[in-house]
Amino acid sequence: MYVCLCQGVTDGQIRDAILEGCCSYRDVRQTLGVASQCGKCATVAKAVVRETLTELQSSQVMLAYPAEFSAA
Ligand code: FES
């Protein structure tokens, strides 16, 4: 589903960005540009980041970077 209509970013793209190394909402925002225009998507984007990081932690995936949520 589309999370950010202004930038055309989907929840799948956010998940992929995290799997490719983004480890916070701030990283995702800088990488994909979510919430960089109208900002209406920020709450949903943060929720997708939080859910994805929580899923990664609970699935015991070994990451080379810290997987902690930080709302920025
Ligand atoms: S919907 Fe994401 S910045 Fe507007």
Side-chain angles (χ1 to χ4, degrees):
M1 93 183 155
Y2 277 96
V3 172
C4 178
L5 295 178
C6 294
Q7 296 293 326
V9 176
T10 65
D11 58 337
Q13 288 174 294
I14 293 174
R15 288 186 173 86
D16 288 346
I18 291 170
L19 292 173
E20 293 170 4
C22 289
C23 56
S24 68
Y25 170 69
R26 179 179 296 188
D27 286 348
V28 170
R29 185 176 176 190
Q30 290 175 344
T31 300
L32 299 177
V34 293
S36 61
Q37 291 187 21
C38 75
K40 291 180 179 177
C41 60
T43 300
V44 174
K46 286 178 185 177
V48 173
V49 170
R50 182 181 296 118
E51 287 170 14
T52 304
L53 292 175
T54 300
E55 287 170 12
L56 285 174
Q57 288 175 332
S58 64
S59 68
Q60 303 291 320
V61 174
M62 296 299 292
L63 299 175
Y65 47 85
E68 296 180 18
F69 176 77
S70 68

